[in-house]
Amino acid sequence: MKAKTVLIFLLCILRGSVSDEDITLRYRKKDFPAGFLFGAGTSAYQVEGAAAEDGRTPSIWDTYVHSGASGIMGTGDIACDQYHKYKGDVKLMKDTGLDAYRFSISWSRLIPNGRGRTNPKGLQYYNNLINELIGNGIQPHITLFHYDLPQALEDEYEGWLSPKILKDFEAYADVCFREFGDRVKYWTTLNEPNVLPLLGYDIGQIPPQRCSYPFGSCAKGNSVVEPYIVAQNLLLAHGHAARLYKEKYQAKQQGFVGLNIFVYWFVPSTQSPEDVSAAQRAQDFITGWFVNPLVFGDYPIIVKKNAGSKLPSFSKSQAKLIRGSYDFLGLNHYTTIDVKHEDHNLEVEERDIFLDMFAKLNLKDSFEFPSKPLGMQRVLEYFKRVYGNPPIYIHENGFVTLFNESLNDTRRVRYLRGYLGSLLNAIRNGSDTRGYFVWSFMDVFELLSGNYTRYGLYHVDFNDEDLKRSPKQSALWYSNFLQGGESFSLIQKPVNQPQTSQSAQ
């Protein structure tokens, strides 16, 4: 699979090829359950800026974008400058009507060397942001790790490839729980840990840019085994942090801890047994790879079978640590894609994870995709059926456009309407989904395309010295919906669906 194709696949910047007939659903905010949260999100490197200010040290993303090898438009050096503009941004959130704001903490801002001394300026910034949010009636939802590992830890022991990361991540989490947990009730340990091994260690598209021929062209790495090692360490790091919170803080702070996963809805290209099986393999390799250990204590059967000895095994104590180590799951969902079986020789040793999956993902080379909202409902029904209906927050859902989009972003409005309507259908069918966050609150420095693409409700003029924020039509629509206005969606009727998962252990 070519690197560019995989990049597009994991970026959600593709076109689904499923043909659906639309039906209309009208709804209001009051149709959602009492206490249901509506918010929007960003992440630290993508929005804060102040990359070298007040004691912050580089993360692997700082190193990457300044290496000259990224090919990304812009850097996160300034980004949206939320480090200095957080009060104005919080006011915009309040004016929009957000219940909650999802953001991440920069590990290298809070603990510059990755371990040891806490940076008082970093501590002050996050305390100020949290207090500003709460003072404006907005609930903070914090992600501890959103791709931006301190460069110091990558240099010292190759970051997520080493079991040494487990102790350092737990210590970092301890600082966050201790310093902010009296006001923060929702903690996500990791953002999209199922994406990092693929893009960072298989094709080397993002830092730390590790891969091997023929799966990518990197200075170092091993695409065959490293993604599985990194995935195991990510799961164990989550387990350690979650256990720490539950044993040391939860009783007093009364908060919740969970993990975030990137999810597609996969449909078979045809109803042939081969394509139906391929769609399920894709689901197990992309979703079950992480969710199965959390729910059942082990990897999916098909992942173990196809990956073989490359896949690390869990000891009894590790399985116990990970299984049930969440109060909720966060899902990032953008679109639906169709899958076709593709033959590969499973006896060949030099395979990366995509060949282990041996399914063809039908993609088109595009930065835009049509609304396929039925996928939201199907994903949530899948989690209800296969994983026991865990509490879920939709952490990311949004529509991408190019940098020169108009403020009249009617396609984004249409997209959000559809996915919210699909979400409501899932809830009415029994899904225990408790919140929804648009990605993103404002245009941010997108990790795989920099300033070239936009997801924001608010436009940020990156050519303006003051980085002026302007509401798009989507911001006005979302605000009106949050204040009780009626919305409607065009929900697609189902066509092809994967069969019941092999995932259950």
Side-chain angles (χ1 to χ4, degrees):
M1 182 174 288
K2 294 181 180 179
K4 186 177 181 182
T5 302
V6 179
L7 166 61
I8 294 169
F9 160 56
L10 287 164
L11 252 181
C12 317
I13 49 179
L14 47 96
R15 294 185 186 273
S17 57
V18 182
S19 176
D20 297 307
E21 181 182 353
D22 294 334
I23 57 177
T24 301
L25 170 70
R26 295 187 179 277
Y27 60 90
R28 296 178 185 270
K29 180 182 178 182
K30 67 181 182 181
D31 293 321
F32 288 78
F36 189 91
L37 293 175
F38 287 96
T42 64
S43 82
Y45 185 71
Q46 296 179 266
V47 75
E48 284 180 4
E53 291 186 37
D54 293 340
R56 182 187 179 277
T57 60
S59 74
I60 58 175
W61 272 93
D62 295 274
T63 303
Y64 173 61
V65 298
H66 285 282
S67 69
S70 69
I72 292 175
M73 180 187 290
T75 74
D77 290 359
I78 299 175
C80 304
D81 198 24
Q82 192 168 87
Y83 187 77
H84 298 109
K85 298 178 179 294
Y86 71 91
K87 289 187 177 182
D89 289 342
V90 172
K91 184 179 185 303
L92 276 183
M93 296 174 202
K94 181 179 181 180
D95 292 344
T96 305
L98 300 190
D99 300 319
Y101 176 51
R102 177 178 177 248
F103 63 98
S104 70
I105 290 177
S106 167
W107 187 345
S108 58
R109 188 183 299 283
L110 190 63
I111 306 175
N113 293 322
R115 72 163 73 87
R117 181 184 64 86
T118 301
N119 176 20
K121 290 288 188 179
L123 188 64
Q124 180 183 16
Y125 168 69
Y126 291 113
N127 272 319
N128 289 344
L129 175 58
I130 291 166
N131 290 340
E132 191 73 16
L133 288 166
I134 292 173
N136 283 275
I138 300 169
Q139 193 176 84
H141 285 232
I142 287 183
T143 300
L144 295 178
F145 178 76
H146 196 114
Y147 291 113
D148 50 347
L149 184 73
Q151 184 65 46
L153 300 185
E154 184 68 29
D155 291 341
E156 181 180 343
Y157 53 70
E158 297 185 327
W160 290 108
L161 274 170
S162 171
K164 293 180 181 179
I165 195 73
L166 305 182
K167 181 178 179 181
D168 287 339
F169 184 73
E170 184 175 4
Y172 161 58
D174 196 12
V175 171
C176 294
F177 297 151
R178 182 180 68 244
E179 297 294 341
F180 312 129
D182 58 328
R183 289 151 291 156
V184 175
K185 304 303 179 187
Y186 292 90
W187 296 98
T188 302
T189 54
L190 306 168
N191 179 77
E192 299 179 344
N194 55 335
V195 173
L196 177 59
L198 301 176
L199 287 189
Y201 297 83
D202 186 10
I203 63 171
Q205 190 71 51
I206 65 172
Q209 286 190 285
R210 297 182 66 93
C211 65
S212 59
Y213 179 84
F215 310 109
S217 178
C218 302
K220 53 188 176 181
N222 185 330
S223 299
V224 177
V225 298
E226 287 187 357
Y228 293 111
I229 295 170
V230 168
Q232 181 110 339
N233 284 334
L234 286 162
L235 280 164
L236 292 173
H238 160 78
H240 281 285
R243 181 176 63 184
L244 170 71
Y245 186 76
K246 290 174 179 293
E247 292 181 353
K248 187 175 179 180
Y249 295 101
Q250 193 168 48
K252 181 177 180 180
Q253 296 180 354
Q254 296 294 299
F256 307 93
V257 62
L259 183 75
N260 170 281
I261 300 292
F262 183 90
V263 294
Y264 286 113
W265 182 239
F266 294 104
V267 297
S269 291
T270 73
Q271 282 301 301
S272 71
E274 293 80 9
D275 286 355
V276 170
S277 179
Q280 184 58 58
R281 282 198 306 275
Q283 198 69 265
D284 284 335
F285 267 87
I286 301 301
T287 304
W289 187 17
F290 276 76
V291 181
N292 271 57
L294 293 171
V295 177
F296 304 118
D298 202 0
Y299 295 113
I301 293 171
I302 192 65
V303 174
K304 292 196 292 183
K305 177 183 177 181
N306 286 14
S309 61
K310 298 186 299 182
L311 185 69
S313 59
F314 294 112
S315 68
K316 288 184 178 180
S317 62
Q318 288 173 335
K320 182 179 179 181
L321 173 73
I322 295 169
R323 184 174 182 175
S325 59
Y326 59 94
D327 298 313
F328 65 87
L329 294 176
L331 303 185
N332 294 352
H333 174 70
Y334 289 84
T335 198
T336 294
I337 60 177
D338 66 317
V339 181
K340 187 173 182 61
H341 173 75
E342 189 170 73
D343 288 315
H344 282 287
N345 182 2
L346 292 181
E347 300 303 319
V348 178
E349 292 184 1
E350 292 300 314
R351 303 190 316 269
D352 72 346
I353 193 169
F354 292 102
L355 294 187
D356 290 339
M357 183 169 65
F358 67 101
K360 182 179 180 182
L361 308 176
N362 291 342
L363 313 172
K364 291 188 178 180
D365 195 354
S366 171
F367 278 101
E368 299 181 13
F369 54 86
S371 177
K372 293 289 179 181
L374 180 67
M376 176 74 82
Q377 181 178 348
R378 294 306 186 219
V379 161
L380 293 173
E381 289 174 347
Y382 183 86
F383 272 75
K384 181 179 69 173
R385 182 177 74 252
V386 176
Y387 296 123
N389 203 21
I392 284 174
Y393 291 86
I394 302 300
H395 274 165
E396 291 184 22
N397 176 242
F399 184 82
V400 62
T401 59
L402 298 182
F403 67 94
N404 57 352
E405 71 165 337
S406 164
L407 293 179
N408 187 26
D409 58 341
T410 54
R411 289 180 300 166
R412 181 173 287 112
V413 172
R414 186 163 58 247
Y415 174 97
L416 296 175
R417 282 172 171 167
Y419 278 82
L420 270 176
S422 185
L423 171 58
L424 179 58
N425 275 348
I427 292 171
R428 287 171 169 171
N429 286 344
S431 171
D432 190 12
T433 304
R434 303 181 180 186
Y436 172 88
F437 293 77
V438 175
W439 183 268
S440 52
F441 177 66
M442 67 181 82
D443 293 335
V444 301
F445 177 79
E446 287 296 333
L447 294 182
L448 290 179
S449 54
N451 298 330
Y452 188 66
T453 58
R454 308 293 181 93
Y455 283 85
L457 297 175
Y458 286 85
H459 174 267
V460 177
D461 185 350
F462 291 109
N463 295 317
D464 176 58
E465 184 176 327
D466 292 328
L467 296 166
K468 181 181 178 182
R469 282 80 155 130
S470 302
K472 302 176 190 177
Q473 188 64 32
S474 56
L476 302 178
W477 168 81
Y478 197 40
S479 181
N480 178 65
F481 169 73
L482 295 181
Q483 295 172 32
E486 185 180 47
S487 189
F488 70 90
S489 61
L490 296 177
I491 304 297
Q492 304 151 339
K493 292 180 179 178
V495 181
N496 298 330
Q497 300 178 40
Q499 304 301 308
T500 302
S501 175
Q502 308 170 9
S503 299
Q505 301 292 319

